[in-house]
Amino acid sequence: MSVITVPQAFDEEELYVDIERIFGQALLLKCEGFNFAGSIKLKAAAEMVAAAERDGSLTADSVLVESSSGNLGVALSMIAASKGYRFVCVTDSRCNLATRLMMEALGGEVHVVAGREAGGGLLGARLDHVRRLCARDDRYVWLCQYSNPGNWRAHFRTTAPEIARSFPRLDVLFVGAGTTGTLMGCARYFRNWHRPVRMVAVDTVGSVAFGGDPGRRMIPGLGMSMRPPLLDESYVDEVVRVEEADTIRACRRLARSGFLFGGSTGTVVSGAIGWLERHGTHGLTSVAIAPDLGERYLDTVYQDNWVQDLYGDDPLDAPRRHPQTATSRSSMDSPL
């Protein structure tokens, strides 16, 4: 029996879903959505808040502020409510309605930025809004998940060791790339592990995190409109880019088997399955990190009208396409 007094004290660490019967490839999903924040972002939020408290930048009079497409905002709203801080989340129109309502229910204040900064997209507009808030009132404390080392340290200290304990013969790890905090924390941990682990980053088409041309991205979570300050590509073996239509296909295929996951998880699963199909890696121990659950996507990814308006009928009934692949290190020979 677990008895807790603060919501961030509970986080299920050892739940994996074997999806081989669904997709025909041996892949285990590490489920990170079973906590009171509903996503892996709880780990980064807790680490960054604790670090700000330790160094004295966060005090009883402070107002936490952060730019977030959703999940980190919920996690910070929850922690702020638990600790008695005021919290302001700066987001944009792609943030799901359910996510905004959840932040507000937890006492968070949500600012939805409608405009776009020249060259910076919606993220640039969000960051500009945060900077204006901080300049106007020195009580505001911006954790800045995009450059805060606590973001990747949280996963170096928790997520990666959890996987290592469960899978001492791990061969391949698939990690979604947004701020790249999860990716960098896990990659740094496994770089010096007792056996080589292939790190495959999963990004969304239209993201410029690993270079390439910017494009429309409507599903919040993964992808960036700028190069992530935390990213060090020397730790990444390969990058797989996934079309949002394939994200929707993967989410709905999982849901038809009773597993309701979020958009970020659908992207990671689509990229991982495509990689495994192409490489024919029978017998490998392969793990993918599933960052979130699906309740917050009921009015988007799982809503037929929303999907049809943005992507047409194709994602609802067409077979899944292979995602694109780009190599970010010299790794064109054997997959392992």
Side-chain angles (χ1 to χ4, degrees), residues 25-328:
Q25 295 292 328
L27 181 65
L28 294 161
L29 293 185
K30 186 181 193 304
C31 298
E32 293 282 352
F34 290 97
N35 55 58
F36 283 94
S39 81
I40 196 171
K41 289 293 188 178
L42 175 61
K43 292 175 172 177
E47 180 75 21
M48 291 188 295
V49 168
E53 290 175 332
R54 286 194 301 269
D55 67 24
S57 59
L58 187 58
T59 66
D61 295 329
S62 298
V63 180
L64 277 169
V65 61
E66 186 56 86
S67 160
S68 170
S69 62
N71 284 339
L72 182 68
V74 172
L76 286 172
S77 295
M78 187 193 79
I79 292 172
S82 171
K83 290 176 171 285
Y85 296 120
R86 181 182 160 200
F87 171 64
V88 176
C89 179
V90 179
T91 189
D92 59 59
S93 57
R94 292 172 299 182
C95 181
N96 298 323
L97 175 61
T99 301
R100 299 201 300 268
L101 294 175
M102 189 173 297
M103 287 189 277
E104 291 171 349
L106 289 164
E109 182 180 333
V110 182
H111 294 190
V112 181
V113 175
R116 293 174 182 262
E117 289 296 299
L122 288 169
L123 176 58
R126 280 164 33 191
L127 298 182
D128 187 65
H129 187 81
V130 171
R131 292 187 187 102
R132 285 196 298 268
L133 289 175
C134 293
R136 193 169 65 205
D137 189 335
D138 59 11
R139 293 177 302 163
Y140 281 86
V141 176
W142 182 17
L143 297 174
C144 193
Q145 62 166 324
Y146 310 101
S147 59
N148 192 321
N151 190 345
W152 68 262
R153 284 177 185 152
H155 304 288
F156 183 89
R157 292 160 63 167
T158 61
T159 310
E162 290 161 10
I163 295 169
R165 286 193 297 270
S166 296
F167 300 98
R169 303 294 295 174
L170 179 67
D171 294 304
V172 187
L173 181 62
F174 299 94
V175 186
T179 64
T180 67
T182 307
L183 176 65
M184 287 293 96
C186 290
R188 282 185 166 92
Y189 181 91
F190 284 112
R191 171 60 62 89
N192 297 314
W193 204 40
H194 70 91
R195 61 183 277 116
V197 174
R198 194 167 195 81
M199 296 298 306
V200 180
V202 183
D203 199 6
T204 183
V205 170
S207 165
V208 301
F210 295 89
D213 297 326
R216 183 188 73 166
R217 293 181 292 113
M218 300 304 297
I219 300 174
L222 301 185
M224 290 278 281
S225 57
M226 66 180 188
R227 180 178 174 83
L230 296 175
L231 176 61
D232 182 343
E233 288 189 61
S234 69
Y235 286 94
V236 181
D237 295 301
E238 287 187 63
V239 180
V240 175
R241 292 179 172 89
V242 175
E243 296 277 1
E244 289 192 328
D246 289 321
T247 292
I248 293 165
R249 289 186 184 91
C251 285
R252 287 171 171 247
R253 193 165 172 182
L254 286 161
R256 286 195 296 270
S257 292
F259 295 106
L260 194 72
F261 282 106
S264 296
T265 298
T267 301
V268 173
V269 168
S270 179
I273 294 299
W275 189 94
L276 292 168
E277 289 174 350
R278 286 191 303 276
H279 286 83
T281 48
H282 178 72
L284 291 183
T285 299
S286 304
V287 173
I289 296 176
D292 55 0
L293 300 179
E295 293 92 336
R296 296 170 199 174
Y297 297 82
L298 293 177
D299 58 348
T300 55
V301 168
Y302 294 103
Q303 218 287 325
D304 286 357
N305 291 337
W306 185 88
V307 173
Q308 289 170 323
D309 287 346
L310 292 172
Y311 309 96
D313 292 328
D314 189 47
L316 303 180
D317 50 25
R320 182 188 166 281
R321 294 188 297 269
H322 293 307
Q324 304 172 39
T325 298
T327 301
S328 55

